[in-house]
Every structure is written in structure tokens, then in C-alpha cells.
Amino acid sequence: IPSELSLQSIVFLWTALPLVTSLPVLARSPCLRLFKASRLLVRFNSLASVSTLFSMPERRPFVRLPTDVYPVNYGLRLKPDLIDLTFEGKLEAAVEVTQGTNQIVMNCADIDIITASFVPEGGEEINATGFNYQNEDEKVTLCFPSILQKGSGSLKIDFVGELNDKMKGFYRSKYTTPSGENRYAAVTQFEATDARRAFPCWDEPAIKATFDITLIIPKDRIALSNMNVVDRKPYPEDHSLVEVKFATTPIMSTYLVAFVIGEYDFVESQSSDGVTVRVYTPVGKAEQGKFALEVATKTLPFYKDYFSVPYPLPKIDLIAIADFAAGAMENWGLVTYRETALLIDPKNSCASSRQWVALVVGHELAHQWFGNLVTMEWWTHLWLNEGFASWIEYLCVDHCFPEYDIWTQFVSADYTRALDLDALDNSHPIEVDVGHPSEVDEIFDAISYSKGASVIRMLHNYIGDEDFRKGMNAYLLKFQHKNASTEDLWECLEQASGKPIAAVMNSWTKQMGFPIIVVDQEQHGSDRVLKISQKKFCASGPRNDENCPNWMVPISICTSEDPSCTKMKVLLDQPETTVNITNIAPDHWLKINPGTVGFYRIQYSTTMLESLLPGIRDLTLLPVDRLGLQNDLFSLARAGMISTVEVLKVMEAFVNEPNYTVWSDLSCNLGVLSSLLSHTDFHEDIQEFIRDLFTPIGMKLGWDSKTGEGHLDALLRGLVLGKLGKAGHKATLEEARRRFKEHVEGKQTLPADLRSPVYLTVLKHGDSTTLDTMLKLHKQADMQEEKNRIERVLGAIPAPDLIQRVLNFALSEEVRPQDTVSVIGGVAGSSKQGRKAAWKFVKDNWEELHNRYQGGFLISRLIKLTADGFAIDKMAAEVKSFFESHHAPAAERTVQQCCENILLNAAWLKRDAEDIHQYLLQRKAPPV
């Protein structure tokens, strides 16, 4: 035997072992035994040599499916086995052959085809003579003995598969019944390229068809799919099963197909336009679906009115899934959610959870039009789906809950996050050419979502609401039930507004990065002359690059006379320009980008900046502009363009600040600085700075909510107390411990809005008893929101041996697979020791973690959370080296971004640490 083959045999036995050992238990039918055996053979055939396991193959050129055969309708019957965790399927697809061929190429992954045949219309059945699996490309070629002639026909395939535990395709989700028994539901997650794990199909967004779905399920379970049930009858071959048939879907893409089989309760209502809305919850928790139901029934008519296009299906179901990788998925008519993104308990849910649920429901329902009715032609245009939904979810929540001040929160949650990522050399344009399925997961990131949403917000502001809606309506009507590209939307908006939309927007979507707008001014009599220029903003500081890109930048200007009103608008379409503003007194200030809508950073001249700073202290600047000004300065300091000390001085001007979102952004930036300075011996000094800044607002708010307070007060109190507690504010720590003790003893339950700050505070200054108590609370918690709340803060515990316990807990059965990432991330973000321990833990457990999240975006999130915070050059080399030998194809860009961030942190520390130290010391020094 050649040595390569003997090695291959060893590898084959090693990879097959888990299946071989479980065969006697699982294989209860001849069909399933065949499935298990064929799975082993498929594994054997796909291992060309042992080297493919240990080195990353070159990426082959990716080819989309051939167009010689395409589906018109999928008749799909699936029979999941919730004990064996497998499924059997029958596909009968009506297809069109556009040119004669003797093979049909489809997508297929982790499925074994038993038989396949083709019946031409009015002709004899032709059995396929072979199935050639191309595992790497997730394709199968069905070979036929004769040419399939042009025309209509029917493709029949019998197949089997496994209900996997990877949270993608047709997978199993573990839940506990009210009596305490563990069971499995069978659920789906197909976006981007995982419908092929449930049935052989043409799994590309542009290959749309209708679907007739039938599910054969235990009669005591519920079955749901995209459409309403039209028939439910006993299954003739087994009286413990029923056959559930669903209505034919509209023409749609495979990634939006969904089915769920399990045990659920529901609440139901009708929207004002007659659509039946249901929210499905775990058994016994129907009450927790009421808030999402209220949001959904308000949202559907809002979108119908906004788009001037009715919701096209008879019903919509929203369902909470126990094991779920994303936040939610917009399957047409059956939207799936993490429990924490859908369920609200009136007593035990905090204000931020209610807001999160409202935003996620708004986002997914927007997709029912924008994504489902009109779908992107290919994944290159994914940003259009996600960026648009990430923008309009805020419009929708602002309509339903004006008291949330949600657009100010957008700037902190999405806009600044996107600017930070897009300033890196390892960012990417909004529109990315993607080919192979492994590349698609990589673009589900803050660029597609948050930068996408930010440039659409800028575009909406540039066009105006009326013309924007007119263009949107034209786009949806022109492309409904079809596919479209970015250019198609620009064309419709251009026709509606008469503005050069494509020219402006291409500069934002086709090139990465964004500009910094440099502004200076001169007073000429009663006129103010502004000199405005643009250059690319880089996180590592200014570059003198010959080929500097330009953007077409919509620029607005306001004055202190009326900070909320735009005095002038210009379109900056060249490197620099001069703008003359008439009738402005010398003592009045000018502000660029009122509302912080334009996607750029601003660097003011010293005199302009000095004139704006009093507007922070006396609150004459709008909250969103106070936030934007501070955030710009912070990013300029990180890029080495100004001193960090200058920013600390500006931060001290926020002592009178009343606005939650402004504090939230300040808190976030101080967290970044605190993390950076954990690498120095004066970390305690920045904690003192934080205590000094947050104490006045903490004293003013107190611990208990007051009559007349609202949503934002609750968010602000939680933020401020958590910040003071973590920074070791003595009175806050004592009160947190007192309240925690009463909570644990059952004397006085903590209000939901205070739990996170109290848990964080007692853990940060806690010992093994504190950790034991928290883990006990976790075990007792009946609600996933409470479990997650505890999981996110466990990493704050300071002792090294307890940190290790928390990390081991992250991989235990106690933590749902999708939540392991936030436990490890919480350890990494809490302290210098935590960061080192979490990184070591990820390296030591890499195989298990990578296997668990196989290429999904959770692996990228895990890497970012654990590697991003280092500030020593050699750590960048270590991270790079580790991932060169432990490949994570879906996270390649994330690894590069982490290495870049580590080097940026190290440079920042070298440059500014001593000045920061001196400033913090001098603040404490008694006045002479």
C-alpha cells in the first residue's frame, strides 16, 4: 500500500470513529444504516491526502451553478426523527431544461441521495446512473444515461440527512419541558448557503421558485413553515405521526425557506391591515410573547404605508428558538429569533431588552419587503439587504416608541462602530465580490450592517423623505418577486429625486474607508469663509498618499443661532473647497454635520473647536452633536492626530450631561482607554478619573426609579451605577453588596434594570463565594435573558483560579452553544489577567470551538473579543502565527483586523501613556 494511502486509512478511521461508535444506537432502519455507511464512504472519498486536513488548500475559482436546468416549483416532503436526530426527504421538483444535457448540477451538503430520476413531460422516467459529490464546492452532479431534452420535466430525489448540532441547515435545538425533560426541536437556518443541508436545491438567491412543503411529524408536536397549514391528517404508515401540508409559497429564494417542528405556545393578533400575527414561545411562556406581538402588529402597517406595498402573505409567525446562532432570521412568513431577541417578561426584563426586541422585530419585518419580496441578485449586494433593514428598524422603532430617542442611540450603536472598523487598513468596501460559500459569512459584519445603515441614513437625509419613499416604492414594484442589484435601487432613487445618486453613492459603497473633513474659518466683516478639505481617515494617522481616494460628501452646516436647523448644504466632490456664509456674527459658532448624519470624521481648527466646547457644558449643542464631537476627538487621539490628554479635558466638560446616549458613548470610549491603560502601572488613576466624572450623575440619579421617569432614565441609571461599581466607587460597591445580599436571600428582588450593574459590581470585587452564588442564580434562572445577563458579567471576577473556572463553565452544558462566546468575551474584556487567560483558553480549546461554530460569524466574534485588546507588538505576531497554523477561513479578515488593532494599541500606548499619566497625577495634586 502506498504510504499516502496508509496514512489516509488512519485518518479515515480517526474521523469516522465518532460515527462508528454510535452506529448501533442510531441506525434503526435500513435506510439510516445506508446513510451512516455512505457518510463514512463520502468522508473517505473526500480525503484526497492527509495533508488536506492540516494545510489550507488554495481557494479554487468559484463557479455559480449552470443555467441549463432550473426549478419552477419544489415539492418537498420531510420526515424528521426527533429521537435518532436524522431525517428522510423526498423532493419532486418541476424544472425547465433550457438546453439538452445529460447531467444536473445542484447544491448539496451533508446529505446522502438514495435515488434520483428525471421524468420529461409526457415521457418515460430516466433513472440517474451516478451522483458525483463535489464536497468542497457543496455541489452534486446527477448523471443520466441519456440527454435530457429541452422542455419541462420533473426531478425526483429521495435522500437522507442528519439533524446536526451546528445551528445551520436543518438542525436540532435542545429544550427542556416544564417537567424538566430534555428534548429536541427540529429547526432551520438557511442564510446564507445552508438550505443545501436540508434538501438538494439550486441554493443561489437569484434562482427563485415556489415551494410546496409537507412535514411528517409526531402528532403531539407543532409544525410551522413559511405559509399557512392547508391540511393535517394521520400518516398512513405510522399512527403516531401526522402529515402537515402547507400552502404554496410565492416565488422565493431558497435561503428564506423555513420549517420548525417542536412544542410551543403562542399569542395571536391581527394587524390593522388584516394579517394574522402569531408569536410562538416555549411552553408555559406565552405571556412573554405579548410585547413582540404588539411591536409586530404596529410594524406591519407602518411598513405597508411607508413602502406603499401590502405585506404579501396571509400570516406571519415569529418564533423563539432555544439554540440559535444569529439574533434572528427573516424567513418569509416564519421569522426565527433567539429567545432573548423575542421574549419579554414584564417583571424580569430590563429596558434595554425591550428596546433590543423592538429593534430586532423591526429589522426582520422590514426584510419581508426588502430582501424577501425583492432579493439581492448575489451576495455581493448583501449590504443592501442588511444595511437597509438596519437603518429602517430605527425609523420603525422611532414611530412605535418615540420616547426611546432611538436616532441618537443609532449614532452610538451603529455609526461610530462602523467608523472605527472602517478606519482600519483591513476593512473592506460595502460591496464585496464573494464567490465560495465560506467567503459569504465573512461579510456579515459591521460594514455590511452598520456602515450600510449609516450611508443609507446619509442618503435619506440628502434626498429627503418624500423622494426617498417614492423611489423605494418604484423599486419594490419594479422588482417584486425578482432579484435586483445596488445599481437598480440607485436608478429608482435617482429618477425620484433628480439627484446624482449613483455617482454619490458609488464613492461610499465601492471603495473602503471614509474621509476626514478638515475645516478652518476666517471672518470677513459679517461673512464667515470656511475652507473645507477631505482626505482618507486612517486609524494609524495621516498618510501622504499620492493616490488618495475622494468621496462625494454631502456636507451640512449649522450655526449657534439655531443648532437644530441646517443653514447651508454643499456637495463636496473634490479634494477641497471654500464656502461663504453670510450674516454671521464673529462670536457665533459654526458646526459641520449637524445631527451627525454624514459618514465622516471632522478635524476643526483650534479656534473653531474652542468656540464649540462651551456648547457641551451649557448643552446648547444637540445631544447627538455633543456625542459626535467627543467621539471624533477620541478617534483623532487614537490615530495620533491630537493628544489623548486633550480628549480627557473635553470629557471633563460633560459633567452636567443629562443624556443617556451621550454618557453611553463616553463610557464606551473610557472603557477602551481603561483597557489600554491596564497594560501600565497607573491603571488605578484612570479608574479615579472615571469615578470623578460619573459620581455627580450617579448621585443625582440615585438607586431607585422616581415617579415620572421613563425608558432612558432606566438605561442611564444602569449604565452609571455599573460604571461606578466597576471602577471601585466605595459607596456604590457597598450599596450593590447590600442589595445583592437581599436579592439572594429573597428579601428584596432586584429590579431587572439594576441586575447587570449590581452583578458586575459584586463580581468585580468578589471572591469564590460570590462566584458560587452567581452560578447558583444562573442555574435557577428560568429566563434566558437572566442567564445571559449573568454569563456576560462572570468574567469580571478577579482571581486567576476563578477566571479559569468561568472559562471552563463557558464550555459546559450549562451554557447554550451560542452564548459560550459572550462568556469568554466577558473574561477577555474584564482585566489584563482575563485577557491573557481567555486567549490561552481559546488556543487550548480551539478544535472544539472551531468545530462548534464551523465557519459561522460566531467564530469571528470569538476571535475579535479575545484577541483585539492586547497592546504589545509581539502579541500581534503571536495571533497571526496561531491562525496561520489553525485556519479559520470565515474569520481571515477578522484576524487581520485584530492584529492591526493590537499594533495600533501598542503605538498609542508608546505615544501617549506618559502624558496621560502626568495629566492624571496633576489632576490629583493639591492646588499650589
Side-chain angles (χ1 to χ4, degrees):
I1 300 172
S3 59
E4 181 173 304
L5 191 59
S6 57
L7 260 176
Q8 193 181 50
S9 309
I10 294 162
V11 172
F12 160 61
L13 288 170
W14 167 53
T15 55
L17 195 62
L19 278 170
V20 173
T21 54
S22 61
L23 268 174
V25 184
L26 288 178
R28 296 183 182 177
S29 71
C31 181
L32 290 173
R33 276 192 213 106
L34 173 65
F35 163 51
K36 296 293 180 188
S38 66
R39 167 59 49 83
L40 300 187
L41 289 172
V42 166
R43 285 192 175 199
F44 181 68
N45 291 334
S46 65
L47 293 172
S49 75
V50 72
S51 63
T52 61
L53 276 176
F54 301 111
S55 69
M56 190 177 170
E58 285 294 306
R59 279 191 180 172
R60 295 211 307 247
F62 173 76
V63 182
R64 280 165 71 167
L65 291 170
T67 54
D68 49 7
V69 180
Y70 70 87
V72 177
N73 170 271
Y74 291 85
L76 182 61
R77 288 169 66 85
L78 287 168
K79 181 171 169 253
D81 185 325
L82 300 175
I83 307 297
D84 282 356
L85 304 176
T86 55
F87 62 90
E88 297 173 23
K90 283 182 183 296
L91 174 67
E92 195 163 324
V95 301
E96 282 294 322
V97 180
T98 56
Q99 60 185 62
T101 178
N102 65 350
Q103 59 181 38
I104 296 177
V105 183
M106 305 168 75
N107 290 115
C108 178
D110 299 337
I111 277 176
D112 290 292
I113 293 172
I114 313 290
T115 62
S117 64
F118 180 80
V119 186
E121 199 168 46
E124 292 289 308
E125 185 165 7
I126 308 165
N127 287 311
T129 48
F131 324 125
N132 178 12
Y133 297 92
Q134 295 104 59
N135 290 335
E136 195 185 312
D137 288 338
E138 300 181 346
K139 290 175 184 171
V140 65
T141 302
L142 308 178
C143 305
F144 294 91
S146 57
I147 297 288
L148 313 180
Q149 299 300 328
K150 189 175 169 182
S152 304
S154 175
L155 176 65
K156 297 179 181 181
I157 302 177
D158 286 5
F159 57 94
V160 287
E162 183 183 6
L163 292 171
N164 70 68
D165 60 355
K166 302 288 184 279
M167 296 187 284
K168 61 183 184 180
F170 196 13
Y171 71 92
R172 60 186 188 255
S173 171
K174 189 176 180 181
Y175 64 97
T176 308
T177 64
S179 64
E181 184 192 341
N182 281 338
R183 290 185 186 164
Y184 287 99
V187 302
T188 58
Q189 168 59 37
F190 290 164
E191 189 178 28
T193 56
D194 292 314
R196 63 194 65 176
R197 291 174 204 283
F199 56 101
C201 56
W202 287 261
D203 199 10
E204 294 182 0
I207 307 179
K208 289 187 167 187
T210 58
F211 290 81
D212 283 290
I213 292 171
T214 301
L215 298 173
I216 296 148
I217 63 158
K219 62 183 178 187
D220 59 349
R221 303 295 150 99
I222 283 174
L224 299 171
S225 188
N226 306 82
M227 297 299 287
N228 48 303
V229 174
V230 290
D231 192 22
R232 185 180 170 109
K233 61 186 182 191
Y235 182 58
E237 293 169 40
D238 184 338
H239 292 307
S240 69
L241 303 178
V242 288
E243 199 171 296
V244 183
K245 185 173 174 9
F246 297 89
T248 307
T249 69
I251 186 167
M252 63 188 283
S253 303
T254 48
Y255 80 90
L256 294 165
V257 173
F259 20 90
V260 173
I261 299 102
E263 298 173 275
Y264 300 93
D265 285 345
F266 67 86
V267 284
E268 179 180 327
S269 184
Q270 275 215 330
S271 68
S272 59
D273 42 359
V275 179
T276 300
V277 184
R278 283 184 176 182
V279 175
Y280 283 85
T281 72
V283 173
K285 296 186 177 179
E287 178 81 8
Q288 294 177 19
K290 284 185 174 173
F291 178 71
L293 184 69
E294 177 200 333
V295 177
T297 47
K298 279 185 184 174
T299 296
L300 284 172
F302 171 74
Y303 286 144
K304 177 194 171 186
D305 181 49
Y306 195 85
F307 296 131
S308 300
V309 175
Y311 174 72
L313 306 186
K315 63 92 179 177
I316 188 158
D317 298 326
L318 293 74
I319 185 166
I321 305 289
D323 294 325
F324 197 77
M329 175 62 208
E330 69 266 21
N331 317 296
W332 215 358
L334 175 58
V335 185
T336 46
Y337 295 79
R338 270 191 192 201
E339 288 185 9
T340 49
L342 191 68
L343 304 181
I344 290 294
D345 177 335
K347 285 196 184 69
N348 293 302
S349 288
C350 57
S352 59
S353 293
R354 295 170 77 85
Q355 181 175 299
W356 173 239
V357 168
L359 283 167
V360 178
V361 169
H363 181 103
E364 304 309 331
L365 295 194
H367 277 310
Q368 306 302 305
W369 285 263
F370 209 96
N372 301 6
L373 181 64
V374 177
T375 310
M376 72 243 145
E377 197 280 329
W378 185 246
W379 299 108
T380 300
H381 307 283
L382 170 82
W383 86 272
L384 203 54
N385 257 13
E386 297 305 346
F388 185 84
S390 299
W391 168 76
I392 206 167
E393 71 186 60
Y394 283 87
L395 198 71
C396 164
V397 167
D398 192 45
H399 164 78
C400 295
F401 304 99
E403 69 276 16
Y404 287 8
D405 183 29
I406 204 75
W407 279 117
T408 307
Q409 294 194 56
F410 174 89
V411 174
S412 183
D414 282 87
Y415 171 95
T416 57
R417 181 166 161 248
L419 286 170
D420 286 341
L421 182 55
D422 206 26
L424 298 178
D425 291 342
N426 287 295
S427 180
H428 63 85
I430 281 179
E431 285 193 67
V432 184
D433 283 328
V434 287
H436 196 275
S438 67
E439 295 169 36
V440 180
D441 278 327
E442 249 195 317
I443 59 169
F444 282 85
D445 66 358
I447 299 297
S448 294
Y449 283 73
S450 298
K451 183 181 179 181
S454 298
V455 299
I456 286 172
R457 174 170 169 256
M458 178 169 70
L459 173 66
H460 175 264
N461 184 264
Y462 172 61
I463 293 177
D465 190 62
E466 193 183 328
D467 286 346
F468 188 85
R469 288 171 74 159
K470 212 187 295 174
M472 290 302 314
N473 173 252
Y475 171 79
L476 288 170
L477 290 178
K478 183 174 179 182
F479 294 100
Q480 60 184 328
H481 302 298
K482 300 193 190 93
N483 296 78
S485 66
T486 306
E487 288 69 26
D488 296 319
L489 178 59
W490 296 165
E491 195 179 311
C492 292
L493 290 171
E494 204 156 291
Q495 284 172 1
S497 67
K499 290 185 172 175
I501 305 303
V504 171
M505 293 308 289
N506 285 347
S507 72
W508 296 96
T509 65
K510 293 189 184 300
Q511 60 186 10
M512 76 178 204
F514 58 88
I516 178 166
I517 304 297
V518 182
V519 197
D520 202 354
Q521 65 177 13
E522 282 178 16
Q523 186 79 20
H524 292 184
S526 64
D527 294 357
R528 190 82 54 91
V529 177
L530 288 186
K531 188 183 174 197
I532 301 174
S533 63
Q534 62 161 304
K535 58 187 179 202
K536 185 178 189 303
F537 180 76
C538 299
S540 54
R543 310 244 173 104
N544 297 320
D545 196 342
E546 292 296 303
N547 307 319
C548 189
N550 270 338
W551 285 263
M552 291 184 75
V553 192
I555 288 184
S556 305
I557 303 162
C558 73
T559 72
S560 48
E561 213 166 16
D562 187 354
S564 61
C565 180
T566 297
K567 191 167 174 88
M568 187 175 213
K569 285 188 175 189
V570 290
L571 185 65
L572 179 65
D573 55 1
Q574 54 210 23
E576 56 184 61
T577 191
T578 304
V579 176
N580 191 40
I581 296 168
T582 55
N583 298 324
I584 177 161
D587 59 343
H588 282 194
W589 51 253
L590 278 181
K591 165 102 181 51
I592 305 291
N593 202 16
T596 315
V597 175
F599 194 73
Y600 46 83
R601 296 279 185 203
I602 304 168
Q603 185 172 24
Y604 291 102
S605 66
T606 310
T607 54
M608 285 189 83
L609 182 61
E610 281 170 1
S611 70
L612 285 168
L613 293 182
I616 291 176
R617 207 177 275 275
D618 65 21
L619 311 180
T620 49
L621 276 169
L622 296 179
V624 71
D625 289 323
R626 301 196 293 271
L627 186 162
L629 199 58
Q630 177 267 134
N631 198 283
D632 276 350
L633 290 170
F634 191 78
S635 69
L636 293 180
R638 191 179 186 222
M641 296 166 75
I642 61 171
S643 158
T644 307
V645 169
E646 295 306 308
V647 187
L648 290 171
K649 287 177 182 170
V650 169
M651 284 177 167
E652 291 184 291
F654 282 88
V655 72
N656 304 318
E657 181 57 57
N659 185 280
Y660 159 69
T661 314
V662 178
W663 276 114
S664 172
D665 199 69
L666 264 171
S667 168
C668 194
N669 287 340
L670 281 166
V672 169
L673 203 52
S674 174
S675 174
L676 183 78
L677 298 178
S678 68
H679 299 276
T680 69
D681 54 7
F682 60 91
H683 189 233
E684 176 48 36
D685 295 334
I686 192 73
Q687 303 314 304
E688 188 176 340
F689 180 89
I690 290 168
R691 292 194 296 267
D692 289 349
L693 186 58
F694 279 79
T695 297
I697 184 75
M699 301 290 281
K700 186 177 164 193
L701 286 165
W703 278 81
D704 300 305
S705 58
K706 303 169 187 70
T707 315
E709 282 189 347
H711 176 80
L712 293 164
D713 300 294
L715 292 179
L716 181 55
R717 180 173 287 109
L719 173 82
V720 170
L721 292 175
K723 202 72 178 172
L724 284 168
K726 192 177 179 190
H729 183 255
K730 200 160 176 290
T732 305
L733 173 56
E734 284 168 6
E735 183 63 8
R737 282 178 172 155
R738 185 186 73 75
R739 289 181 181 240
F740 181 66
K741 186 169 182 288
E742 290 197 339
H743 177 69
V744 172
E745 290 170 355
K747 289 179 186 167
Q748 180 74 53
T749 303
L750 276 167
D753 287 308
L754 290 181
R755 287 183 204 169
S756 278
V758 167
Y759 294 168
L760 173 68
T761 301
V762 297
L763 278 162
K764 183 73 183 170
H765 309 278
D767 55 18
S768 60
T769 312
T770 323
L771 182 59
D772 288 342
T773 309
M774 287 307 305
L775 291 174
K776 192 173 160 197
L777 283 179
H778 181 276
K779 201 171 184 63
Q780 290 167 350
D782 178 46
M783 200 180 178
Q784 199 53 35
E785 179 188 324
E786 176 74 353
K787 285 189 186 290
N788 284 173
R789 202 178 350 252
I790 294 167
E791 287 160 2
R792 281 196 295 268
V793 295
L794 286 174
I797 200 83
D801 58 322
L802 301 180
I803 287 173
Q804 203 51 49
R805 264 186 70 193
V806 172
L807 289 167
N808 293 335
F809 172 75
L811 274 179
S812 72
E813 286 285 309
E814 297 289 317
V815 178
R816 286 190 179 163
Q818 70 265 27
D819 299 322
T820 297
V821 173
S822 53
V823 181
I824 299 172
V827 172
S830 66
S831 64
K832 189 179 177 181
Q833 298 93 311
R835 196 175 301 120
K836 284 181 180 167
W839 170 240
K840 182 176 186 307
F841 185 79
V842 166
K843 289 191 296 181
D844 292 348
N845 295 276
W846 177 250
E847 202 172 316
E848 182 177 346
L849 289 162
H850 190 246
N851 184 42
R852 180 181 284 200
Y853 303 123
Q854 280 192 348
F857 60 86
L858 281 171
I859 204 80
S860 293
R861 189 171 296 170
L862 176 70
I863 293 167
K864 184 172 172 52
L865 287 170
T866 48
D868 226 22
F870 290 105
I872 307 158
D873 288 354
K874 69 171 188 186
M875 279 308 301
E878 183 181 315
V879 170
K880 182 171 183 278
S881 160
F882 179 80
F883 288 107
E884 277 169 355
S885 56
H886 301 79
H887 296 296
E892 275 179 21
R893 188 179 277 114
T894 301
V895 171
Q896 291 161 353
Q897 289 165 350
C898 286
C899 294
E900 187 177 346
N901 271 325
I902 294 168
L903 295 174
L904 288 167
N905 288 341
W908 189 8
L909 207 53
K910 279 190 203 110
R911 193 175 57 237
D912 275 6
E914 192 44 44
D915 286 351
I916 295 170
H917 191 198
Q918 288 310 314
Y919 174 70
L920 295 174
L921 286 175
Q922 163 239 306
R923 275 182 81 251
K924 290 194 291 188
V928 179

